[in-house]
Amino acid sequence: MSDALAAAADLVPQLAARAEEHDAAGAFPTADVAALSEAGLLGLMVPERLGGFGAGFADYTRVAQTLARGAGATALVFNMHASVTGALASVPEDLARQLGAGEAFFAQRDRLLAAAAQGALYGVGITERGAGSRLHALRTTYEPEGEGYRLRGHKSTCSGAGHLDGYLVAAKAAHAVDDPDGPVSHFLVPGEAISDVEDTWDVQGMRATASNGFSLDCHVGADTLLGGIEGVAGLLAYGLPQWLVASYAAVYAGVARAAVDAGVSHVADRTVAGQAGGLGQVGWVRARLGRTDAQAEAARLVLEEAGRLVDLAPGEPTTNAMIYRAKLLAGDAARDAADSVAEACGLAALRRGHPLERLVRDARSGPVMPPSSDLAADVLATQHLGLDPVHGTDVRPW
Ligand SMILES: Cc1cc2nc3c(=O)[nH]c(=O)nc-3n(C[C@H](O)[C@H](O)[C@H](O)COP(=O)(O)OP(=O)(O)OC[C@H]3O[C@@H](n4cnc5c(N)ncnc54)[C@H](O)[C@@H]3O)c2cc1C
């Protein structure tokens, strides 16, 4: 696995060199994805027997953090791809068979994973206007049609939409769309089935994720139903939330560290008021660097522990609590570190073209991406209070 991490570290300078241009144009980072593919990293989560690295969750968190130190948006696109391939690769085979998954599902899974190792890129389409990422409130539906299903709906936000070879689409059973407890399933929809990608992504930060919306009204085969059974989306969200929750934490822990690095490099070079030794001679500037270093490292360590627990004991309550802590701490650390360091560096860090100017904007999405920091805190408190995670409070997290 050190090979994958070393490959990611090698890519950081070129991702950083292209980040400003991609950010300014809000352009999908095609060259970065090609470099990830060439380094074999699109196969990070793919088992070795299918041509990948066969990585675990902890490995993923280290690779994604490293990429985020070069370009947060590219790391986020990578995160969506790793979430799809990682979830696919880790479907417990015995359990899936017991629940009714047939050979067609496993053959399709292996095809998709092998294609990823060869450079196919996947993304995730959950979010909808009016529902956010709350699965129970989605309005995209599926219903049986012939040998497979018909999917209909609209997704408002999908990183890389229009550039993807496949989409993990969350949809509700059409017969239960108004029932908050109705089954929500995941479908692996081929890229060519997605129509009407909208050019609507014009946001403050993470601009190069090109997270545009799209519509779908298509027939998909029965083998595209993730796990081969209905209702998997809800089961994963509540039972095995690593790919829905802590995968983002890895990106934002990397963004937090990138902000500290950018601050250190600015402070070391900057002369202020003709003072010898530069900005680093100012005590409160050093204190901000020290505080944000501690915050970024704390987020990394909690994420590392979450990764260790996911690989060791997936689905355990202690594991899931660590996953939510990691997301909360990483999102907040990124926002706070970028803000604080930029303020310490002064106007230069607010000018377009300065890495901190982009990092401040990119980091702002950390606490917003699902689960938001507030929601993650609520999930943790709900667990401590011994309340039912779905119906026990006025907030249903997923
Ligand atoms: C850079 C970026 C990339 C993205 N890429 C993708 C992608 O590839 N695929 C995808 O599907 N989505 C993607 N998203 C969308 C992301 O998942 C949404 O931001 C997320 O679903 C939250 O939706 P929302 O922002 O509309 O806010 P909401 O979820 O509506 O949240 C708004 C407010 O409501 C609060 N809240 C959250 N949950 C609840 C609840 N259950 N009850 C009450 N209040 C609640 C929040 O804390 C927040 O304060 C991306 C977003 C960003 C910023």
Side-chain angles (χ1 to χ4, degrees):
M1 197 41 47
S2 55
D3 288 354
L5 196 53
D10 284 348
L11 292 181
V12 169
Q14 54 167 299
L15 301 190
R18 290 190 284 259
E20 185 191 341
E21 193 188 328
H22 290 148
D23 169 69
F28 182 76
T30 305
D32 292 0
V33 172
L36 289 170
S37 169
E38 193 152 321
L41 289 172
L42 296 184
L44 180 72
M45 305 310 300
V46 175
E48 289 180 35
R49 72 182 169 86
L50 297 171
F53 280 101
F57 191 78
D59 300 319
Y60 157 78
T61 65
R62 295 178 200 124
V63 168
Q65 284 178 85
T66 303
L67 296 174
R69 292 175 79 164
T74 300
L76 211 41
V77 169
F78 176 75
N79 147 79
M80 300 300 175
H81 172 83
S83 300
V84 177
T85 50
L88 265 180
S90 60
V91 170
E93 213 157 313
D94 290 352
L95 182 66
R97 281 185 203 283
Q98 275 169 29
L99 292 170
E103 287 315 315
F105 164 72
F106 292 107
Q108 168 78 338
R109 177 197 65 179
D110 284 2
R111 264 197 304 279
L112 288 164
L113 288 172
Q118 295 297 315
L121 182 69
Y122 306 132
V124 176
I126 295 177
T127 304
E128 295 176 12
R129 245 167 243 130
S133 53
R134 275 151 260 168
L135 297 165
H136 72 272
L138 297 181
R139 305 300 297 177
T140 294
T141 59
Y142 67 91
E143 58 190 318
E145 183 184 74
E147 297 285 293
Y149 300 91
R150 174 139 302 255
L151 297 179
R152 286 194 190 89
H154 181 264
K155 297 291 178 183
S156 60
T157 323
C158 171
S159 295
H163 301 269
L164 304 171
D165 299 294
Y167 296 70
L168 185 78
V169 170
K172 278 195 90 170
H175 65 83
V177 70
D178 293 320
D179 174 2
D181 293 317
V184 186
S185 302
H186 279 313
F187 292 85
L188 292 151
V189 179
E192 56 273 15
I194 299 300
S195 58
D196 301 332
V197 175
E198 307 161 340
D199 191 10
T200 48
W201 184 251
D202 184 7
V203 294
Q204 186 188 24
M206 293 294 188
R207 292 172 50 77
T209 58
S211 300
N212 288 301
F214 64 85
S215 301
L216 71 172
D217 183 353
C218 59
H219 174 88
V220 292
D223 57 0
T224 63
L225 177 66
L226 183 73
I229 49 162
E230 293 187 51
V232 154
L235 292 176
L236 289 177
Y238 286 99
L240 296 164
Q242 49 266 30
W243 288 113
L244 198 55
V245 176
S247 60
Y248 302 124
V251 173
Y252 289 100
V255 169
R257 180 49 61 187
V260 179
D261 290 349
V264 168
S265 128
H266 180 93
V267 166
D269 290 350
R270 189 81 175 173
T271 303
V272 63
Q275 191 175 15
L279 206 45
Q281 294 300 307
V282 181
W284 67 77
V285 169
R286 289 194 308 277
R288 280 180 184 246
L289 291 179
R291 279 179 191 281
T292 51
D293 166 74
Q295 265 182 301
E297 185 62 3
R300 188 191 72 77
L301 286 170
V302 172
L303 177 63
E304 183 72 23
E305 178 63 0
R308 190 184 72 81
L309 290 174
V310 167
D311 288 338
L312 195 72
E316 289 296 318
T318 45
T319 304
N320 292 351
M322 202 59 75
I323 286 171
Y324 277 92
R325 288 186 193 117
K327 169 62 181 64
L328 195 170
L329 292 174
D332 284 5
R335 177 201 57 204
D336 293 349
D339 246 18
S340 177
V341 169
E343 192 173 326
C345 293
L347 176 60
L350 302 184
R351 285 191 201 282
R352 287 212 187 276
H354 194 291
L356 274 168
E357 189 274 335
R358 173 173 43 82
L359 284 162
V360 166
R361 289 183 288 103
D362 284 353
R364 200 61 197 78
S365 338
V368 169
M369 289 197 78
S372 66
S373 291
D374 290 333
L375 182 59
D378 192 47
V379 169
L380 287 166
T382 300
Q383 195 186 61
H384 281 301
L385 293 168
L387 300 170
D388 179 80
V390 184
H391 301 107
T393 72
D394 55 343
V395 171
R396 185 190 279 240
W398 297 110

